[in-house]
């Protein structure tokens, strides 16, 4: 192998990168002219540092993964200590302490619902899309193992997004992602999103949610005995433009699934671990799903890992002398000890630092700083759930009601303006949003608000 020589400067980095790499969620023809490529050499706290020394405020938590800041020393030390003992072992037929401890810890803090059995089992995978695949397959297979092989349909929400692998992508309703691969995908039933922004004039967020829940019930009634599960992101449809809904919808969804013998899959990959104001979004509705899908912030943003929490009832459906009735889904890095160690350290920080209380104060300050933007002539709506704040521009709301990743127009201009001023403000189409690490401070929030204000003005100039 040839010896690696570090690039001398950013220009050489860019040239060499574009000669060999293919970046995710990117039209590569946009590099380097339309969409700037930013080489990063280190991260500290809420900041990233470029190869040229420029600092960037990570206002999107590196695709919503980073909770406590880059290079958080407690998590870094936990990973280093684990690496000196056991880096990995096959998780089929073997076990290890970090995997066991993490499963017990997750189940101990999982949502609770009075009168309902708790989540009791943990299945590990290595990314969010894989967690969705696991939940979909487990749901279908558990019904089949119990003798109900007619439940072959899933229900998802309009404007939904659950990942990029084929099963997860099948549950998506964002045309940019779904359209190309449509011939390969499952065909779910789509129920109208309870998105509060789409409420009728004079209708409250709760009333909108309940109206949409009535439509969900009608959909189930039109397909008796066919539905395996309903999948949704509780409280916030993140990739769908940070559209938000009232918890009342989740309570009704839980009741509807129970009444029709279907599972409820809660995709908390993006909204879990304190993003919405509680550790898990389902807590705000007082419900327990049949499947709770976790990833992103699970390891504090350090390593890829996902977990699917499910019930003892689901687990028992697979217990049999037949291998065919077993759940044979597997990933080479399932239950990776390094990732589990990072997740354990991340969970410990919630208690050590009283993170949720601090987040509530930070969220209140975010609301104060964003409030003046409401009168901006190009802002249609400002909405917030915990540490997620979205700014709906008139360019976004004037479209088809769905948001997409950076593709051009106002969103791209806002992104370029912000990155040139040291802020990673990566819009979803023409929806701007703040989802910073929990360590973000007053000066950083002020900087974020100032750059967002000028980005809005610049983008519409």
């Amino acid at each position: 192998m040839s010896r690696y020589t570090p690039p001398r400067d950013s220009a050489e980095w860019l040239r060499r990168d574009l000669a060999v790499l293919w970046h995710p969620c990117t039209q590569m023809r946009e590099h380097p002219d339309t969409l700037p490529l930013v080489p990063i050499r280190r991260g500290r706290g809420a900041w990233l540092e470029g190869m040229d020394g420029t600092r960037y405020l990570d206002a999107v938590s590196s695709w919503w993964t980073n909770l406590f800041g880059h290079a958080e020393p407690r998590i870094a030390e936990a990973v280093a200590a684990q690496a000196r003992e056991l880096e990995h072992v096959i998780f089929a037929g073997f076990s290890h302490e970090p995997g066991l401890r993490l499963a017990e810890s997750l189940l101990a803090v999982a949502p609770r619902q009075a009168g309902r059995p708790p989540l009791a089992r943990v299945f590990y995978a290595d990314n969010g899309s894989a967690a969705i695949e696991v939940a979909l397959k487990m749901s279908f297979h558990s019904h089949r193992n119990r003798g109900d092989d007619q439940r072959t349909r899933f229900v998802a929400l309009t404007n939904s997004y659950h990942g990029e692998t084929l099963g997860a992508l099948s549950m998506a309703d964002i045309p940019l992602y779904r359209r190309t691969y449509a011939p390969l995908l499952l065909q779910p039933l789509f129920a109208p999103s309870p998105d509060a922004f789409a409420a009728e004039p004079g209708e409250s967020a709760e009333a909108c949610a309940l109206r949409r829940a009535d439509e969900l019930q009608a959909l189930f009634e039109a397909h008796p005995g066919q539905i395996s599960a309903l999948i949704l992101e509780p409280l916030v449809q993140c990739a769908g433009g940070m559209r938000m809904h009232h918890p009342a919808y989740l309570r009704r969804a839980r009741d509807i699934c129970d009444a029709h013998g279907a599972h409820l899959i809660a995709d908390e990959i993006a909204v879990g671990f304190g993003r919405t104001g509680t550790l898990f979004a389902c807590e705000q509705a007082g419900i327990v799903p049949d499947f709770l899908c976790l990833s992103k912030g699970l390891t504090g943003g350090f390593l890829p890992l996902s977990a699917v929490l499910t019930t003892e009832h689901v687990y028992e459906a697979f217990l049999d002398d037949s291998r065919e009735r077993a759940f044979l889904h597997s990933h080479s890095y399932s239950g990776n000890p390094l990732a589990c160690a990072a997740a354990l350290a991340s969970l410990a920080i919630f208690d050590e630092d009283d993170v949720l209380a601090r987040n509530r104060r930070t969220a209140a300050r975010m609301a104060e700083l964003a409030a003046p933007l409401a009168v901006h002539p190009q802002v249609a709506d400002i909405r917030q759930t915990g540490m997620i704040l979205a700014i709906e521009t008139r360019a976004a709301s004037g479209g088809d009601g769905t948001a997409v990743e950076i593709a051009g127009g106002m969103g791209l201009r806002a992104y370029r303006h912000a990155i040139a001023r040291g802020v990673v403000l990566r819009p979803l189409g023409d929806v701007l949003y703040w989802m910073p690490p929990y360590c973000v401070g007053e000066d950083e929030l002020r900087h974020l608000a100032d750059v967002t204000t000028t980005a809005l003005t610049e983008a519409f100039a």
Side-chain angles (χ1 to χ4, degrees), residues 115-147:
R116 190 176 195 88
L119 295 168
R121 297 283 171 170
V122 177
F123 190 97
Y124 292 125
D126 49 18
N127 63 75
S129 294
I132 299 299
E133 301 281 347
V134 167
L136 296 174
K137 291 174 66 177
M138 272 188 183
S139 174
F140 164 77
H141 199 166
S142 65
H143 287 304
R144 185 181 180 88
N145 280 353
R146 293 187 183 279

Side-chain angles (χ1 to χ4, degrees), residues 369-446:
L369 290 169
L373 294 173
V375 299
H376 192 285
Q378 296 300 337
V379 171
D381 181 50
I382 297 176
R383 52 184 175 270
Q384 184 176 9
T385 299
M387 291 283 290
I388 305 171
L389 187 146
I391 302 159
E392 182 97 8
T393 67
R394 299 200 182 279
S397 60
D400 63 0
T402 61
V404 296
E405 266 291 347
I406 291 178
M410 193 286 296
L412 179 57
R413 292 194 296 273
Y415 173 79
R416 290 170 60 92
H417 175 91
I419 204 76
R421 287 153 183 80
V423 174
V424 182
L425 188 70
R426 187 181 174 99
L428 291 154
D430 292 330
V431 176
L432 311 184
Y433 70 92
W434 301 347
M435 198 190 287
Y438 302 160
C439 63
V440 67
E442 172 67 18
D443 290 344
E444 294 156 338
L445 287 174
R446 284 183 174 275

